Amino acid sequence: MPFPPSLARSLASFVLDDEQLSRLDELYFQDAGHGYDAFGMHPSFIALGQAIADPMYRRYFRVISTGHEHIPDVGPAIIASNHSGNVPLDGAMIWTDIIRKTNPPRVARAIADHFVPSLPWVGTLFARSGMVGGSRGNARTLIEAGEMLLIFPEGTPGIVKPFAKRYQLQKFRVGHTELAIRHGAPIVPVGVVGAEEQLPQLLVSRRLGKPLGVPELPIPAVPIPLPVRYRIYYGPPIPVHEDYTPDQADDPEVLKEAAGRVKAAVNDLIQRGLKERGGRIFA
Amino acid sequence: MKYTLKNVLVTGASTPVGERVIRRLIDDSRVDQILAVTSPKAPLTIPESDRLKAVPVDLRRERRVHSLLFGPAREMGVNVVVHTAMEPSASKEGSSVHAFNVQALRSIISLSERHPSVKRLVVRSAAEVYQFRNNLPVLISEEHELNMSRGAPQWVRDRVEADLTACTRMGLSPLQIVVLRMAEVVAPGTGSQMFDYLQSPVCFRPAGYDPMTNLMTLEDTAAALQRALHHDEQGVFNIPGADTLPLTACIRQWGRLGVPVPDGMLTPLYRVRARLTGREFRYGMNRRRFHYSGVLDGRRAAQVLGYIPSYPIAWPTA
């Protein structure tokens, strides 16, 4: 970012209280020498990111979450969630929720599509907050370093799916299961309810997305996200790393089967959330 | 354990990197004789002694390289060659530059393979051989994609070709070959694009981007080369520096003012700067690394060579 970390922290202090700021000092973080990790994450910018997300998290989307006990305190882990809402606010809310609800706080390193690091300002802000581009090498390096990854196995097809297909999971890619099996990481399934209704979509345009550097640009029916209530459910970890041996990470059938288990677990959490919510989208 | 003293030939001895290596070798009790190969136009600034001998050689000419290796080097019983010579200027191009950057190394390899005493070759390569792109990992391992872009300038192409020339002989040659892909050295006379970039009071950068970069010092460069020449392993190793930081922090710590401008303006802006001031920085050459992060992964060098960057940059504003 064009401004120094000290300024980022000062800006964050306008929104976050001293307790919230001091909690972030305990963040698990591998300093590469100048206060940043090799991927560009910096604790002061995490604080700034929290400050930016805080009003949305607490007041606008009024996030309710359960099952934090399933998030490992230490060690490698993969958070696998459904993806929806046309803009990745679901990722921002999970990221915020995990930092707020884990003690000491952990940052879920979101794995974004390749185009995200190419986006000016957005790519940089996301990188400072812990996001990395979705290359195999990045994910492997982080998981080997004992980090927790936030992966949306549906990818872009999940986030840009039409309103009529809400809460219908798209095809789960298998990369996250390969990582988990090979590197001994449990997969924590997450179901997000609410994001699907935040920005109903009119259409998706590839042509309009091209100049902006995004593969598909959703055109929403409303100018800003609706104040839906977010519900985030963390399920019990799926121990794929115990059920399969690391050399099975090269077996396409095993990966497919494991991805199927994750998809079923995420779907169960979504169905539970929908049942609990009933028709109260905004309440 | 008995340790055989090394006799070392260092090319590029009159460059800042070469000189720093020689100074370290003079203080190294495991090194006996040092043969410093300088450019005919730039004599060695370190005084010669009974352990240090300087020879001016035009490495572009294979016959001269032959005379060097089978003349003074054979007499001295050189068993390790440390090749650091590489044209630093990005503005110099053509067959003569290619001969110096690539053909010289090719000659050194083929002649060393049949040399009676040379057993090991340490090649100084550069991180600039790697490709930078949004879909490539931030942490650059030795298996990372190389920059084979059609539009790459000769400065990059030559470095890639020289690197691959050494790599292709690994395991096939009786020589032990080590290629050290080093992070950019921020020092004058090293061909550092970043050093040149930071010489202006105002540093223009692409608006909206702030990639992570890794930089190193001459001292770490020399330390890595010194470690490599004493080891028995061969292979390719990334050699990162001690400073990993974003571009804006780099500009700030150098005491410069960073000004974000639209990307399209930077190439002409720096072209004009180069014309007016004779500076070497070319934005087109650095465009991708001014957009996408790339940090050398030094784990292999740490495990095998025991190299850990230890000399951070003395930032002017620190």
Side-chain angles (χ1 to χ4, degrees):
Chain A
M1 294 302 282
F3 48 90
S6 54
L7 181 59
R9 198 173 170 92
S10 301
L11 290 171
S13 67
F14 285 111
V15 178
L16 305 181
D17 58 32
D18 287 347
E19 194 191 332
Q20 285 173 303
L21 280 172
S22 59
R23 268 190 89 241
L24 293 175
D25 292 337
E26 297 165 37
L27 208 66
Y28 174 72
F29 170 70
Q30 295 184 315
D31 188 349
H34 283 261
Y36 299 82
D37 80 353
F39 293 88
M41 185 173 93
H42 193 290
S44 296
F45 288 96
I46 299 270
L48 180 63
Q50 284 280 292
I52 294 169
D54 188 76
M56 281 190 282
Y57 179 90
R58 286 194 304 126
R59 298 179 196 283
Y60 198 76
F61 293 126
R62 296 149 291 133
V63 177
I64 299 171
S65 59
T66 57
H68 311 103
E69 67 277 12
H70 299 309
I71 303 169
D73 293 334
V74 289
I78 292 173
I79 305 287
S81 172
N82 60 318
H83 205 14
S84 59
N86 293 299
V87 286
L89 289 169
D90 51 354
M93 292 303 110
I94 296 171
W95 177 84
T96 306
D97 189 63
I98 290 177
I99 292 175
R100 290 172 72 103
K101 300 287 172 64
T102 47
N103 197 16
R106 288 196 83 176
V107 178
R109 309 296 299 261
I111 304 293
D113 213 330
H114 294 318
F115 70 88
V116 180
S118 311
L119 300 173
W121 294 286
V122 175
T124 306
L125 179 65
F126 283 7
R128 295 289 173 273
S129 309
M131 184 218 76
V132 296
S135 76
R136 202 177 276 252
N138 284 343
R140 189 183 59 229
T141 303
L142 287 169
I143 208 95
E144 280 175 359
E147 298 266 12
M148 184 163 66
L149 308 186
L150 170 57
I151 296 179
F152 298 99
E154 295 168 278
T156 308
I159 194 169
V160 300
K161 64 182 177 289
F163 190 67
K165 289 191 176 176
R166 62 193 181 281
Y167 300 114
Q168 293 174 30
L169 291 174
Q170 304 300 295
K171 185 185 172 191
F172 265 40
R173 297 166 185 179
V174 297
H176 66 294
T177 53
E178 184 187 342
L179 268 176
I181 295 170
R182 199 182 300 285
H183 299 284
I187 298 176
V188 179
V190 177
V192 177
V193 172
E196 292 276 18
E197 290 90 359
Q198 69 187 6
L199 212 55
Q201 182 198 102
L202 283 179
L203 57 102
V204 170
S205 170
R206 283 186 182 215
R207 193 178 292 174
L208 291 174
K210 209 171 179 183
L212 298 173
V214 297
E216 291 174 302
L217 185 72
I219 311 294
V222 289
I224 58 166
L226 300 171
V228 294
R229 184 187 279 279
Y230 262 66
R231 289 171 167 83
I232 302 174
Y233 298 87
Y234 301 92
I238 302 169
V240 288
H241 60 302
E242 290 169 4
D243 300 343
Y244 307 101
T245 57
D247 41 311
Q248 285 182 290
D250 287 320
D251 186 338
E253 288 307 314
V254 165
L255 299 183
K256 216 169 148 184
E257 182 188 298
R261 286 171 63 187
V262 177
K263 186 176 181 180
V266 171
N267 192 48
D268 286 349
L269 292 166
I270 291 172
Q271 297 313 317
R272 179 183 146 196
L274 289 172
K275 199 173 169 186
E276 283 178 16
R277 181 184 79 169
R280 296 167 293 138
I281 294 172
F282 299 98
Chain B
M1 194 176 100
K2 193 182 168 196
Y3 192 89
T4 315
L5 288 178
K6 297 259 176 17
N7 295 321
V8 185
L9 182 153
V10 181
T11 67
S14 41
T15 64
V17 171
E19 279 197 9
R20 199 59 65 102
V21 172
I22 288 167
R23 284 184 196 282
R24 285 186 79 99
L25 296 184
I26 289 170
D27 295 335
D28 189 339
S29 58
R30 297 168 296 173
V31 172
D32 185 14
Q33 302 284 308
I34 305 158
L35 186 59
V37 180
T38 65
S39 154
K41 293 176 190 164
L44 191 68
T45 55
I46 307 169
E48 288 189 55
S49 65
D50 54 339
R51 287 181 62 213
L52 172 65
K53 187 182 173 194
V55 196
V57 177
D58 184 352
L59 295 173
R60 291 172 299 179
R61 299 175 188 272
E62 190 174 3
R63 178 53 54 195
R64 307 264 166 91
V65 178
H66 184 278
S67 302
L68 166 73
L69 286 171
F70 288 87
R74 186 163 62 179
E75 283 165 25
M76 192 183 268
V78 165
N79 35 32
V80 183
V81 174
V82 178
H83 181 61
T84 72
M86 190 63 83
E87 172 57 56
S89 172
S91 57
K92 289 186 184 166
E93 292 190 333
S95 56
S96 172
V97 173
H98 183 262
F100 183 69
N101 288 343
V102 184
Q103 296 299 350
L105 176 60
R106 197 167 277 143
S107 305
I108 289 170
I109 293 172
S110 63
L111 293 167
S112 298
E113 284 176 348
R114 56 176 197 264
H115 195 275
S117 60
V118 174
K119 300 288 175 240
R120 188 167 177 83
L121 170 66
V122 179
V123 179
R124 179 191 168 219
S125 184
E128 285 83 356
V129 301
Y130 289 119
Q131 181 67 278
F132 284 70
R133 230 182 15 235
N134 61 336
N135 59 352
L136 292 176
V138 169
L139 211 59
I140 296 174
S141 71
E142 286 81 358
E143 289 75 34
H144 193 90
E145 194 174 308
L146 296 181
N147 186 356
M148 310 288 264
S149 313
R150 275 186 299 173
Q154 186 180 342
W155 195 89
V156 173
R157 286 199 317 271
D158 279 0
R159 277 159 176 75
V160 174
E161 189 180 347
D163 184 291
L164 291 178
T165 299
C167 290
T168 48
R169 293 301 298 160
M170 265 177 214
L172 301 172
S173 165
L175 272 180
Q176 288 177 350
I177 299 175
V178 182
V179 174
L180 303 183
R181 293 177 180 159
M182 298 184 150
E184 188 167 351
V185 180
V186 187
T190 57
S192 166
Q193 286 280 300
M194 186 61 84
F195 178 79
D196 194 83
Y197 172 73
L198 293 169
Q199 294 316 295
S200 301
V202 175
C203 296
F204 298 106
R205 60 177 185 81
Y209 295 92
D210 193 10
M212 295 298 289
T213 189
N214 178 258
L215 302 168
M216 76 189 298
T217 54
L218 279 173
E219 208 53 50
D220 266 335
T221 310
L225 289 163
Q226 186 186 19
R227 276 190 174 275
L229 78 86
H230 285 302
H231 255 269
D232 292 330
E233 301 288 339
Q234 66 172 353
V236 183
F237 299 94
N238 284 340
I239 305 294
D243 290 85
T244 299
L245 69 176
L247 180 63
T248 52
C250 192
I251 295 168
R252 210 164 33 238
Q253 299 223 47
W254 204 264
R256 303 305 189 208
L257 178 67
V259 175
V261 298
D263 184 58
M265 287 173 63
L266 284 164
T267 299
L269 208 57
Y270 277 102
R271 196 174 287 149
V272 169
R273 176 189 184 248
R275 292 245 169 94
L276 295 178
T277 64
R279 292 263 176 217
E280 290 283 340
F281 179 77
R282 304 281 184 277
Y283 180 72
M285 207 163 104
N286 294 282
R287 187 178 175 276
R288 283 189 174 172
R289 69 181 192 133
F290 272 42
H291 281 77
Y292 308 120
S293 296
V295 174
L296 289 184
D297 180 355
R299 282 179 292 183
R300 187 186 289 176
Q303 282 163 8
V304 179
L305 303 178
Y307 165 79
I308 306 285
S310 314
Y311 300 93
I313 293 169
W315 296 95
T317 59

